[in-house]
Amino acid sequence: VVLWLHVVTAIAGEATCVIAFLTSSVYLWNHSRLKSRSLSKPSVGPGLDTLDRLTRHTTMSGLVLLTLSLVSGLVLISAPGQE
């Protein structure tokens, strides 16, 4: 049970970190386009506030999931044969 918890939280944590990276990249791209006033076409994706909120939530979720993964990995190391 602990092994599955470790694997699932590690994969989910990494996935949420990738999503946070992508949303922050879109945020920075739209922000730089807005600052340089080169928005001839509408910006890509949702507004900056939505991207900021989404990035914050995915980053915090990824941090929690990766922490759970580390804790469950420590439990696996300290109790051999509990797979």
Side-chain angles (χ1 to χ4, degrees):
V1 172
V2 177
L3 179 63
W4 284 106
L5 177 69
H6 174 69
V7 171
V8 169
T9 55
I11 291 171
E14 291 291 329
T16 54
C17 288
V18 168
I19 293 169
F21 168 75
L22 293 174
T23 57
S24 63
S25 298
V26 172
Y27 176 90
L28 289 173
W29 186 54
N30 283 340
H31 187 264
S32 68
R33 286 180 57 201
L34 201 92
K35 284 288 188 181
S36 67
R37 299 174 195 247
S38 65
L39 278 177
S40 58
K41 296 180 180 177
S43 62
V44 175
L48 292 179
D49 290 337
T50 305
L51 286 170
D52 182 44
R53 204 169 37 252
L54 182 61
T55 301
R56 185 173 52 250
H57 290 304
T58 54
T59 302
M60 294 308 290
S61 299
L63 177 67
V64 169
L65 288 168
L66 289 174
T67 302
L68 286 172
S69 174
L70 286 171
V71 169
S72 62
L74 288 173
V75 169
L76 281 171
I77 290 173
S78 67
Q82 294 288 331
E83 301 170 0

